[in-house]
Amino acid sequence: MNTITLTPAQIRGLKLAKDGDLFPQEGNKWTHLNAVVTYARNDRFRERPQKIKFLTTATLDALREFGLLRSLNPDVKTEEAAHGITMVGKMWLLKNK
């Protein structure tokens, strides 16, 4: 069995997809649907916002080529369809934390 080697950006993107389906945003970015700036749980004054995590279209395409992500709606163009993690992607994360 051949192993898949991912870059740190691809690993972050795969972990983001594990947390929820990815939807296209403006500027060639993909993130969760209705993602908003959040605050750290232990920040009681809510002063330090945590940025919205996203991945680029290039990273998404690379992960899709490896079979780690898949389009959730095959009837829609790939650039517009939501993407989710596949079982192969979940297994890769389990083996390569």
Side-chain angles (χ1 to χ4, degrees):
M1 183 174 128
N2 56 357
T3 58
I4 300 172
T5 304
L6 298 180
T7 65
Q10 291 170 335
I11 294 170
R12 284 192 305 270
L14 193 58
K15 287 181 179 178
L16 186 65
K18 189 182 121 203
D19 293 338
D21 297 337
L22 302 174
F23 294 83
Q25 308 294 322
E26 67 278 347
N28 277 346
K29 294 181 180 179
W30 294 72
T31 190
H32 300 131
L33 189 63
N34 300 327
V36 293
V37 173
T38 59
Y39 296 87
R41 262 189 218 144
N42 57 359
D43 186 4
R44 59 184 197 165
F45 299 112
R46 296 176 61 99
E47 293 173 350
R48 294 179 292 268
Q50 294 177 332
K51 293 181 182 175
I52 297 172
K53 295 179 183 175
F54 67 89
L55 68 146
T56 62
T57 302
T59 304
L60 182 95
D61 290 340
L63 291 172
R64 199 173 57 239
E65 286 177 20
F66 288 135
L68 302 175
L69 294 180
R70 64 179 170 80
S71 175
L72 298 178
N73 188 352
D75 301 331
V76 180
K77 286 193 293 187
T78 305
E79 305 85 39
E80 299 171 0
H83 283 71
I85 191 167
T86 62
M87 187 55 70
V88 175
K90 291 177 184 176
M91 295 303 291
W92 190 95
L93 282 175
L94 280 174
K95 292 178 184 174
N96 300 288
K97 283 195 175 184

Coordinates of all heavy atoms in Angstrom, one line a residue:
M1 N 0.8 -1.2 0.0 CA 0.0 0.0 0.0 C 0.9 1.2 0.0 O 1.8 1.4 0.8 CB -0.9 0.0 1.3 CG -1.8 1.1 1.3 SD -2.9 0.9 2.7 CE -2.7 2.5 3.5
N2 N 0.6 2.2 -0.9 CA 1.4 3.4 -1.0 C 0.9 4.4 0.1 O -0.3 4.5 0.3 CB 1.4 4.0 -2.4 CG 0.0 4.2 -2.9 OD1 -0.9 4.0 -2.2 ND2 0.0 4.8 -4.1
T3 N 1.8 5.1 0.7 CA 1.4 6.1 1.7 C 1.3 7.5 1.0 O 2.0 7.8 0.1 CB 2.5 6.2 2.8 OG1 3.7 6.5 2.2 CG2 2.6 4.9 3.5
I4 N 0.4 8.3 1.5 CA 0.1 9.6 1.1 C 0.9 10.6 2.0 O 0.7 10.5 3.2 CB -1.4 9.9 1.0 CG1 -2.1 8.9 0.1 CG2 -1.6 11.3 0.6 CD1 -3.6 9.1 0.2
T5 N 1.7 11.4 1.4 CA 2.4 12.4 2.2 C 1.8 13.8 1.9 O 1.6 14.2 0.8 CB 3.9 12.5 1.8 OG1 4.5 11.2 1.9 CG2 4.7 13.4 2.6
L6 N 1.3 14.4 3.0 CA 0.6 15.7 2.9 C 1.5 16.8 3.5 O 2.3 16.6 4.4 CB -0.7 15.7 3.7 CG -1.7 14.6 3.2 CD1 -3.0 14.7 4.1 CD2 -2.1 14.9 1.7
T7 N 1.3 18.0 2.9 CA 2.0 19.2 3.5 C 1.2 19.6 4.7 O 0.1 19.2 5.0 CB 1.9 20.3 2.4 OG1 0.6 20.7 2.2 CG2 2.6 19.9 1.1
P8 N 1.9 20.5 5.6 CA 1.2 21.0 6.8 C -0.2 21.7 6.4 O -1.1 21.5 7.2 CB 2.2 21.9 7.4 CG 3.5 21.4 6.9 CD 3.3 20.9 5.6
A9 N -0.2 22.4 5.3 CA -1.5 23.1 4.9 C -2.5 22.1 4.6 O -3.7 22.3 4.9 CB -1.2 24.1 3.8
Q10 N -2.2 21.0 3.9 CA -3.1 20.0 3.5 C -3.6 19.3 4.8 O -4.8 18.9 4.9 CB -2.5 19.0 2.5 CG -2.3 19.6 1.2 CD -1.4 18.7 0.3 OE1 -0.7 17.9 0.8 NE2 -1.6 18.9 -1.0
I11 N -2.8 19.1 5.7 CA -3.2 18.4 7.0 C -4.2 19.3 7.7 O -5.2 18.8 8.2 CB -1.9 18.0 7.9 CG1 -1.1 17.0 7.2 CG2 -2.4 17.6 9.2 CD1 0.3 16.8 7.8
R12 N -3.9 20.6 7.8 CA -4.8 21.5 8.5 C -6.2 21.5 7.8 O -7.2 21.5 8.4 CB -4.2 22.9 8.5 CG -3.2 23.1 9.5 CD -2.8 24.6 9.7 NE -2.5 25.3 8.5 CZ -1.2 25.4 8.0 NH1 -0.2 24.8 8.7 NH2 -1.0 26.0 6.9
G13 N -6.1 21.5 6.4 CA -7.4 21.4 5.7 C -8.2 20.2 5.9 O -9.4 20.2 6.0
L14 N -7.5 19.0 6.0 CA -8.1 17.8 6.3 C -8.8 17.8 7.7 O -9.9 17.3 7.8 CB -7.1 16.6 6.1 CG -7.7 15.2 6.0 CD1 -8.7 15.1 4.9 CD2 -6.6 14.2 5.9
K15 N -8.1 18.3 8.6 CA -8.6 18.4 10.0 C -9.9 19.3 10.0 O -10.8 19.1 10.7 CB -7.6 18.9 11.0 CG -6.5 17.8 11.3 CD -5.5 18.3 12.3 CE -4.5 17.3 12.6 NZ -3.4 17.7 13.5
L16 N -9.8 20.4 9.2 CA -10.9 21.3 9.1 C -12.1 20.6 8.5 O -13.3 20.8 9.0 CB -10.6 22.5 8.3 CG -11.6 23.7 8.2 CD1 -11.8 24.3 9.6 CD2 -11.1 24.7 7.2
A17 N -11.9 19.8 7.5 CA -13.0 19.0 6.9 C -13.6 18.0 7.9 O -14.8 17.7 7.8 CB -12.5 18.4 5.6
K18 N -12.7 17.5 8.7 CA -13.2 16.5 9.7 C -14.2 17.2 10.7 O -15.1 16.5 11.1 CB -12.0 15.9 10.5 CG -12.4 14.7 11.4 CD -11.2 14.3 12.1 CE -11.5 14.4 13.6 NZ -10.5 14.5 14.5
D19 N -14.0 18.4 11.0 CA -14.9 19.2 11.9 C -16.2 19.5 11.3 O -17.2 19.8 12.0 CB -14.2 20.5 12.4 CG -13.0 20.2 13.2 OD1 -12.9 19.1 13.8 OD2 -12.1 21.1 13.3
G20 N -16.3 19.5 9.9 CA -17.6 19.8 9.3 C -17.4 20.0 7.8 O -16.3 20.2 7.3
D21 N -18.5 19.9 7.0 CA -18.4 20.1 5.6 C -17.9 21.5 5.2 O -18.1 22.4 5.9 CB -19.8 19.9 5.0 CG -20.3 18.4 5.2 OD1 -19.5 17.5 5.4 OD2 -21.5 18.2 5.2
L22 N -17.2 21.5 4.1 CA -16.6 22.8 3.6 C -17.4 23.3 2.5 O -17.8 22.6 1.6 CB -15.2 22.5 3.1 CG -14.2 21.9 4.2 CD1 -12.9 21.5 3.6 CD2 -14.0 22.9 5.3
F23 N -17.6 24.6 2.5 CA -18.4 25.3 1.5 C -17.6 26.4 0.9 O -16.7 27.0 1.6 CB -19.7 25.9 2.1 CG -20.7 24.9 2.6 CD1 -20.5 24.3 3.9 CD2 -21.7 24.5 1.8 CE1 -21.4 23.4 4.3 CE2 -22.6 23.5 2.3 CZ -22.4 23.0 3.5
P24 N -17.8 26.7 -0.4 CA -17.0 27.8 -1.1 C -17.3 29.2 -0.5 O -18.5 29.5 -0.2 CB -17.4 27.7 -2.5 CG -18.7 27.0 -2.5 CD -18.7 26.1 -1.3
Q25 N -16.3 30.0 -0.3 CA -16.4 31.4 0.1 C -15.8 32.3 -1.0 O -15.2 31.8 -1.9 CB -15.8 31.6 1.4 CG -16.1 30.6 2.5 CD -17.6 30.8 2.9 OE1 -18.1 31.9 3.0 NE2 -18.2 29.7 3.2
E26 N -15.9 33.6 -0.8 CA -15.3 34.5 -1.8 C -13.7 34.4 -1.7 O -13.2 34.1 -0.6 CB -15.7 35.9 -1.7 CG -15.3 36.6 -0.4 CD -16.2 36.3 0.8 OE1 -17.3 35.7 0.6 OE2 -15.8 36.6 1.9
G27 N -13.0 34.6 -2.8 CA -11.6 34.7 -2.7 C -10.9 33.3 -2.7 O -9.8 33.2 -2.1
N28 N -11.5 32.3 -3.4 CA -10.9 31.0 -3.5 C -10.6 30.4 -2.1 O -9.6 29.7 -1.9 CB -9.5 31.0 -4.3 CG -9.8 31.0 -5.8 OD1 -10.9 30.6 -6.2 ND2 -8.8 31.3 -6.6
K29 N -11.5 30.6 -1.2 CA -11.4 30.0 0.1 C -12.6 29.1 0.4 O -13.6 29.3 -0.1 CB -11.3 31.1 1.2 CG -10.1 32.0 1.1 CD -10.1 33.1 2.2 CE -8.8 33.9 2.0 NZ -8.8 35.0 3.0
W30 N -12.3 28.1 1.2 CA -13.4 27.2 1.7 C -13.4 27.1 3.2 O -12.3 27.0 3.8 CB -13.0 25.8 1.1 CG -13.1 25.7 -0.4 CD1 -12.2 26.3 -1.3 CD2 -14.1 25.1 -1.2 NE1 -12.6 26.0 -2.6 CE2 -13.8 25.3 -2.5 CE3 -15.3 24.4 -0.9 CZ2 -14.6 24.8 -3.6 CZ3 -16.1 23.9 -1.9 CH2 -15.7 24.1 -3.3
T31 N -14.6 27.1 3.8 CA -14.7 26.9 5.2 C -16.1 26.4 5.5 O -16.8 26.1 4.6 CB -14.4 28.3 5.9 OG1 -14.3 28.0 7.3 CG2 -15.5 29.3 5.7
H32 N -16.4 26.3 6.8 CA -17.7 25.8 7.2 C -18.8 26.7 6.9 O -18.6 27.9 6.8 CB -17.7 25.5 8.7 CG -16.7 24.5 9.2 ND1 -15.8 24.7 10.2 CD2 -16.3 23.3 8.7 CE1 -15.0 23.7 10.4 NE2 -15.3 22.8 9.4
L33 N -20.0 26.2 6.7 CA -21.1 27.1 6.4 C -21.4 28.0 7.6 O -21.4 27.5 8.7 CB -22.3 26.2 6.1 CG -23.6 26.9 5.6 CD1 -23.3 27.6 4.2 CD2 -24.7 25.9 5.4
N34 N -21.7 29.2 7.3 CA -22.0 30.2 8.4 C -20.9 30.3 9.4 O -21.2 30.5 10.6 CB -23.3 29.9 9.1 CG -24.5 29.9 8.1 OD1 -24.5 30.6 7.1 ND2 -25.4 29.0 8.3
A35 N -19.6 30.2 9.0 CA -18.5 30.3 10.0 C -18.4 31.8 10.4 O -18.5 32.7 9.6 CB -17.2 29.9 9.3
V36 N -18.2 32.0 11.7 CA -18.0 33.3 12.2 C -16.8 33.4 13.1 O -16.3 32.4 13.5 CB -19.2 33.8 13.1 CG1 -20.5 33.9 12.2 CG2 -19.5 32.8 14.2
V37 N -16.3 34.6 13.4 CA -15.2 34.8 14.3 C -15.6 34.3 15.7 O -16.7 34.6 16.1 CB -14.7 36.2 14.3 CG1 -13.7 36.4 15.4 CG2 -14.2 36.7 12.9
T38 N -14.8 33.5 16.3 CA -15.1 33.0 17.6 C -14.1 33.5 18.6 O -13.1 34.0 18.3 CB -15.1 31.4 17.6 OG1 -13.8 31.0 17.2 CG2 -16.2 30.8 16.7
Y39 N -14.4 33.2 19.8 CA -13.5 33.6 20.9 C -13.1 32.4 21.7 O -13.8 31.4 21.8 CB -14.2 34.6 21.8 CG -14.6 35.9 21.1 CD1 -15.8 36.0 20.4 CD2 -13.7 37.0 21.1 CE1 -16.1 37.2 19.8 CE2 -14.0 38.1 20.5 CZ -15.2 38.2 19.8 OH -15.5 39.4 19.1
A40 N -11.9 32.5 22.3 CA -11.4 31.3 23.1 C -12.4 31.1 24.2 O -12.9 32.0 24.9 CB -10.0 31.6 23.6
R41 N -12.6 29.8 24.6 CA -13.5 29.4 25.7 C -13.0 30.0 27.0 O -13.8 30.4 27.8 CB -13.5 27.9 25.8 CG -14.7 27.4 25.1 CD -14.9 25.9 25.4 NE -15.4 25.3 24.2 CZ -15.0 24.1 23.8 NH1 -14.2 23.4 24.5 NH2 -15.5 23.6 22.6
N42 N -11.7 30.1 27.2 CA -11.2 30.5 28.5 C -11.0 32.0 28.5 O -10.5 32.6 29.5 CB -9.9 29.8 28.8 CG -8.9 30.0 27.7 OD1 -9.1 30.6 26.7 ND2 -7.7 29.4 28.0
D43 N -11.4 32.7 27.5 CA -11.2 34.2 27.4 C -12.5 34.8 27.9 O -13.5 35.1 27.2 CB -10.9 34.6 26.0 CG -10.6 36.1 25.9 OD1 -10.6 36.8 27.0 OD2 -10.5 36.6 24.8
R44 N -12.6 35.2 29.2 CA -13.8 35.6 29.8 C -14.2 37.0 29.3 O -15.3 37.5 29.5 CB -13.8 35.5 31.3 CG -12.7 36.3 31.9 CD -12.6 36.1 33.4 NE -11.8 37.1 33.9 CZ -11.8 37.5 35.2 NH1 -12.5 36.8 36.0 NH2 -11.1 38.4 35.6
F45 N -13.2 37.8 28.8 CA -13.5 39.2 28.4 C -13.8 39.2 26.9 O -14.1 40.3 26.4 CB -12.3 40.1 28.7 CG -12.1 40.2 30.2 CD1 -10.9 39.6 30.7 CD2 -13.0 40.7 31.1 CE1 -10.7 39.7 32.1 CE2 -12.8 40.8 32.4 CZ -11.6 40.3 32.9
R46 N -13.7 38.1 26.2 CA -13.9 38.0 24.8 C -13.2 39.1 24.0 O -13.8 39.8 23.1 CB -15.5 38.1 24.5 CG -16.2 37.0 25.1 CD -17.7 37.1 24.9 NE -18.1 37.2 23.5 CZ -18.5 36.2 22.8 NH1 -18.7 35.0 23.3 NH2 -18.9 36.4 21.5
E47 N -11.9 39.3 24.3 CA -11.1 40.3 23.6 C -10.3 39.8 22.5 O -9.9 40.5 21.6 CB -10.2 41.0 24.6 CG -11.0 41.8 25.7 CD -10.1 42.3 26.7 OE1 -8.9 41.9 26.8 OE2 -10.5 43.1 27.5
R48 N -10.0 38.5 22.5 CA -9.1 37.9 21.5 C -9.8 37.0 20.5 O -10.0 35.8 20.8 CB -7.9 37.2 22.2 CG -7.1 38.1 23.0 CD -6.0 37.3 23.7 NE -6.5 36.5 24.8 CZ -6.6 36.8 26.0 NH1 -6.3 38.0 26.4 NH2 -7.1 36.0 26.9
P49 N -10.3 37.6 19.4 CA -11.0 36.7 18.5 C -10.1 35.7 17.8 O -8.9 36.0 17.6 CB -11.6 37.7 17.5 CG -10.7 38.9 17.6 CD -10.2 38.9 19.0
Q50 N -10.6 34.5 17.6 CA -9.9 33.5 16.8 C -10.4 33.6 15.4 O -11.6 33.6 15.1 CB -10.2 32.1 17.4 CG -9.7 31.9 18.8 CD -10.0 30.6 19.4 OE1 -11.0 30.0 19.0 NE2 -9.2 30.1 20.3
K51 N -9.5 33.7 14.5 CA -9.8 33.8 13.1 C -10.6 32.6 12.6 O -10.4 31.5 13.1 CB -8.6 34.0 12.2 CG -7.9 35.3 12.5 CD -6.6 35.5 11.7 CE -5.9 36.7 12.0 NZ -4.7 36.9 11.3
I52 N -11.4 32.9 11.5 CA -12.0 31.8 10.8 C -11.0 30.9 10.1 O -10.2 31.5 9.4 CB -13.1 32.3 9.8 CG1 -14.1 33.1 10.6 CG2 -13.7 31.2 9.0 CD1 -15.1 33.8 9.7
K53 N -11.0 29.6 10.3 CA -10.1 28.8 9.6 C -10.6 28.4 8.3 O -11.8 28.2 8.1 CB -9.9 27.5 10.4 CG -9.2 27.7 11.8 CD -9.1 26.4 12.5 CE -8.5 26.7 13.9 NZ -8.4 25.5 14.7
F54 N -9.7 28.4 7.3 CA -10.1 28.1 5.9 C -9.0 27.4 5.2 O -7.9 27.3 5.7 CB -10.5 29.4 5.2 CG -9.3 30.3 5.0 CD1 -8.6 30.2 3.8 CD2 -9.0 31.3 5.9 CE1 -7.5 31.0 3.6 CE2 -7.9 32.1 5.7 CZ -7.1 32.0 4.6
L55 N -9.4 26.8 4.0 CA -8.3 26.3 3.1 C -8.6 26.8 1.7 O -9.7 27.3 1.4 CB -8.3 24.8 3.1 CG -9.5 24.0 2.6 CD1 -8.9 22.7 1.9 CD2 -10.4 23.6 3.7
T56 N -7.5 26.8 0.9 CA -7.6 27.4 -0.4 C -8.2 26.3 -1.4 O -8.2 25.1 -1.1 CB -6.3 27.9 -0.9 OG1 -5.4 26.7 -1.0 CG2 -5.7 28.9 0.0
T57 N -8.6 26.8 -2.6 CA -9.1 25.9 -3.6 C -8.0 24.9 -4.0 O -8.3 23.7 -4.3 CB -9.6 26.7 -4.8 OG1 -10.7 27.5 -4.3 CG2 -10.2 25.8 -5.9
A58 N -6.7 25.4 -4.1 CA -5.6 24.5 -4.5 C -5.4 23.3 -3.5 O -5.3 22.2 -3.9 CB -4.3 25.3 -4.6
T59 N -5.5 23.6 -2.2 CA -5.4 22.6 -1.2 C -6.6 21.6 -1.3 O -6.4 20.4 -1.2 CB -5.3 23.2 0.2 OG1 -4.3 24.2 0.2 CG2 -5.1 22.2 1.3
L60 N -7.8 22.2 -1.5 CA -9.0 21.3 -1.6 C -8.8 20.4 -2.8 O -9.1 19.2 -2.7 CB -10.2 22.2 -1.8 CG -11.5 21.4 -1.9 CD1 -12.1 21.3 -0.5 CD2 -12.5 22.1 -2.8
D61 N -8.3 20.9 -4.0 CA -8.2 20.1 -5.2 C -7.2 19.0 -4.9 O -7.4 17.8 -5.3 CB -7.7 20.9 -6.3 CG -8.9 21.9 -6.8 OD1 -10.0 21.6 -6.5 OD2 -8.5 22.9 -7.5
A62 N -6.1 19.3 -4.2 CA -5.0 18.3 -3.9 C -5.6 17.2 -3.0 O -5.4 16.0 -3.3 CB -3.8 18.9 -3.3
L63 N -6.4 17.6 -2.0 CA -6.9 16.6 -1.1 C -8.0 15.7 -1.9 O -8.1 14.5 -1.6 CB -7.6 17.2 0.1 CG -6.6 17.9 1.1 CD1 -7.3 18.7 2.1 CD2 -5.7 16.9 1.7
R64 N -8.7 16.3 -2.8 CA -9.7 15.6 -3.6 C -9.0 14.6 -4.5 O -9.5 13.5 -4.7 CB -10.6 16.5 -4.4 CG -11.9 15.9 -4.8 CD -12.9 16.9 -5.4 NE -12.3 17.5 -6.6 CZ -12.1 18.8 -6.7 NH1 -12.6 19.6 -5.7 NH2 -11.6 19.4 -7.7
E65 N -7.9 15.0 -5.1 CA -7.1 14.1 -6.0 C -6.6 12.8 -5.2 O -6.6 11.7 -5.7 CB -5.9 14.8 -6.6 CG -6.3 15.7 -7.7 CD -5.2 16.5 -8.3 OE1 -4.0 16.1 -8.1 OE2 -5.4 17.5 -8.9
F66 N -6.2 13.0 -3.9 CA -5.8 11.9 -3.1 C -6.9 11.0 -2.6 O -6.7 10.0 -2.1 CB -5.0 12.4 -1.8 CG -3.7 13.0 -2.1 CD1 -3.3 14.2 -1.5 CD2 -2.8 12.4 -3.0 CE1 -2.0 14.7 -1.8 CE2 -1.5 12.9 -3.2 CZ -1.1 14.1 -2.6
G67 N -8.2 11.5 -2.8 CA -9.3 10.7 -2.4 C -9.7 11.0 -1.0 O -10.4 10.2 -0.4
L68 N -9.1 12.0 -0.3 CA -9.4 12.3 1.1 C -10.7 13.2 1.3 O -11.2 13.1 2.4 CB -8.2 13.0 1.7 CG -6.9 12.2 1.6 CD1 -5.7 13.0 2.1 CD2 -7.0 10.9 2.3
L69 N -11.0 13.9 0.3 CA -12.3 14.7 0.3 C -13.1 14.3 -0.9 O -12.6 13.9 -1.9 CB -12.0 16.2 0.2 CG -11.2 16.8 1.4 CD1 -11.0 18.3 1.1 CD2 -12.0 16.6 2.7
R70 N -14.4 14.6 -0.8 CA -15.3 14.3 -1.9 C -16.4 15.4 -2.0 O -16.8 16.0 -1.0 CB -15.9 12.9 -1.8 CG -16.9 12.8 -0.6 CD -17.5 11.4 -0.5 NE -18.2 11.3 0.7 CZ -19.4 11.7 1.0 NH1 -20.1 12.4 0.1 NH2 -19.9 11.6 2.2
S71 N -16.9 15.6 -3.2 CA -18.0 16.5 -3.4 C -19.3 15.9 -2.8 O -19.5 14.7 -3.1 CB -18.2 16.8 -4.9 OG -19.3 17.6 -5.1
L72 N -20.1 16.6 -2.1 CA -21.3 16.1 -1.5 C -22.5 16.1 -2.5 O -23.5 15.5 -2.2 CB -21.6 16.9 -0.2 CG -20.6 16.8 0.9 CD1 -21.0 17.6 2.0 CD2 -20.4 15.4 1.3
N73 N -22.4 16.9 -3.6 CA -23.4 17.0 -4.5 C -22.9 16.8 -5.9 O -22.4 17.8 -6.5 CB -24.1 18.4 -4.4 CG -25.4 18.5 -5.2 OD1 -25.7 17.6 -6.1 ND2 -26.1 19.5 -5.1
P74 N -22.9 15.6 -6.5 CA -22.3 15.4 -7.8 C -23.0 16.1 -9.0 O -22.4 16.3 -10.0 CB -22.4 13.9 -8.0 CG -23.4 13.4 -7.0 CD -23.5 14.4 -5.9
D75 N -24.2 16.6 -8.8 CA -24.9 17.3 -9.8 C -24.5 18.8 -10.0 O -24.8 19.4 -11.0 CB -26.4 17.3 -9.5 CG -27.0 15.9 -9.4 OD1 -26.4 15.0 -10.1 OD2 -27.9 15.6 -8.7
V76 N -23.8 19.3 -9.0 CA -23.3 20.7 -9.1 C -21.9 20.7 -9.5 O -21.1 19.8 -9.2 CB -23.5 21.4 -7.7 CG1 -23.1 22.8 -7.7 CG2 -25.0 21.3 -7.3
K77 N -21.4 21.8 -10.1 CA -20.0 22.0 -10.5 C -19.2 21.9 -9.3 O -19.5 22.3 -8.2 CB -19.8 23.3 -11.2 CG -20.3 23.4 -12.6 CD -19.8 24.7 -13.3 CE -20.3 25.9 -12.7 NZ -19.9 27.1 -13.4
T78 N -18.0 21.3 -9.4 CA -17.1 21.0 -8.3 C -16.7 22.3 -7.5 O -16.6 22.3 -6.3 CB -15.8 20.4 -8.8 OG1 -16.1 19.2 -9.6 CG2 -14.9 20.0 -7.7
E79 N -16.6 23.4 -8.3 CA -16.2 24.7 -7.6 C -17.3 25.2 -6.7 O -17.1 26.1 -5.9 CB -15.8 25.8 -8.6 CG -14.7 25.4 -9.6 CD -15.3 24.6 -10.8 OE1 -16.4 24.9 -11.3 OE2 -14.7 23.6 -11.2
E80 N -18.5 24.8 -6.9 CA -19.7 25.3 -6.1 C -20.2 24.3 -5.1 O -21.0 24.7 -4.3 CB -20.8 25.7 -7.1 CG -20.4 26.8 -8.1 CD -21.4 27.0 -9.2 OE1 -22.4 26.3 -9.2 OE2 -21.2 27.8 -10.1
A81 N -19.8 23.1 -5.2 CA -20.4 22.1 -4.3 C -19.7 22.0 -3.0 O -18.5 22.3 -2.9 CB -20.3 20.7 -5.0
A82 N -20.5 21.7 -2.0 CA -19.9 21.5 -0.6 C -19.0 20.2 -0.7 O -19.3 19.3 -1.5 CB -21.0 21.3 0.4
H83 N -18.0 20.1 0.1 CA -17.1 19.0 0.2 C -17.1 18.4 1.6 O -17.1 19.2 2.6 CB -15.7 19.3 -0.3 CG -15.6 19.4 -1.7 ND1 -16.1 20.5 -2.5 CD2 -15.0 18.6 -2.6 CE1 -15.9 20.3 -3.7 NE2 -15.2 19.2 -3.9
G84 N -17.0 17.1 1.7 CA -16.9 16.4 3.0 C -15.7 15.5 3.0 O -15.2 15.1 1.9
I85 N -15.3 15.1 4.2 CA -14.2 14.1 4.3 C -14.6 12.7 4.0 O -15.8 12.4 4.3 CB -13.6 14.2 5.7 CG1 -12.2 13.5 5.8 CG2 -14.5 13.8 6.8 CD1 -11.4 13.8 7.0
T86 N -13.8 11.9 3.4 CA -14.1 10.5 3.1 C -13.6 9.6 4.2 O -12.8 10.1 5.0 CB -13.5 10.1 1.7 OG1 -12.1 10.2 1.8 CG2 -13.9 11.0 0.6
M87 N -13.9 8.4 4.1 CA -13.4 7.4 5.1 C -11.9 7.3 5.0 O -11.2 7.1 6.0 CB -14.1 6.0 4.9 CG -13.8 5.1 6.0 SD -14.1 5.6 7.7 CE -15.9 5.6 7.7
V88 N -11.4 7.4 3.7 CA -10.0 7.3 3.5 C -9.3 8.5 4.3 O -8.3 8.3 4.9 CB -9.6 7.4 2.0 CG1 -8.1 7.5 1.8 CG2 -10.2 6.2 1.3
G89 N -9.9 9.7 4.2 CA -9.4 10.8 4.9 C -9.4 10.6 6.4 O -8.4 11.0 7.1
K90 N -10.5 10.1 6.9 CA -10.6 9.8 8.4 C -9.5 8.8 8.8 O -8.9 9.0 9.9 CB -12.0 9.3 8.7 CG -13.0 10.4 8.6 CD -14.4 9.8 8.9 CE -15.5 10.8 8.7 NZ -16.8 10.2 8.9
M91 N -9.3 7.8 8.0 CA -8.3 6.8 8.3 C -6.9 7.4 8.3 O -6.1 7.1 9.1 CB -8.4 5.6 7.4 CG -9.7 4.8 7.5 SD -10.0 4.2 9.1 CE -8.8 2.9 9.3
W92 N -6.6 8.3 7.3 CA -5.3 8.9 7.2 C -5.0 9.7 8.5 O -3.9 9.7 9.0 CB -5.2 9.8 6.0 CG -3.8 10.3 5.7 CD1 -2.9 9.7 4.9 CD2 -3.2 11.4 6.3 NE1 -1.7 10.4 5.0 CE2 -1.9 11.4 5.8 CE3 -3.6 12.4 7.2 CZ2 -0.9 12.4 6.2 CZ3 -2.6 13.3 7.6 CH2 -1.4 13.3 7.1
L93 N -6.0 10.5 9.0 CA -5.9 11.2 10.2 C -5.6 10.3 11.4 O -4.8 10.7 12.3 CB -7.1 12.1 10.4 CG -7.2 13.4 9.6 CD1 -8.5 14.1 9.8 CD2 -6.0 14.3 9.9
L94 N -6.3 9.2 11.5 CA -6.1 8.3 12.6 C -4.7 7.8 12.6 O -4.1 7.6 13.7 CB -7.1 7.1 12.5 CG -8.5 7.4 13.0 CD1 -9.4 6.2 12.7 CD2 -8.5 7.7 14.5
K95 N -4.1 7.5 11.4 CA -2.8 6.9 11.4 C -1.7 7.9 11.5 O -0.6 7.6 11.9 CB -2.6 6.1 10.0 CG -3.5 4.9 9.9 CD -3.3 4.2 8.6 CE -4.2 3.1 8.4 NZ -4.1 2.5 7.1
N96 N -2.0 9.1 11.1 CA -0.9 10.2 11.0 C -1.1 11.4 11.9 O -0.9 12.5 11.4 CB -0.7 10.6 9.6 CG -0.4 9.4 8.7 OD1 0.7 8.9 8.7 ND2 -1.4 9.0 7.9
K97 N -1.7 11.2 13.1 CA -1.9 12.4 13.9 C -0.7 13.1 14.1 O 0.0 13.6 14.5 CB -2.6 12.0 15.2 CG -4.0 11.7 15.0 CD -4.7 11.6 16.4 CE -6.2 11.4 16.1 NZ -7.0 11.5 17.3

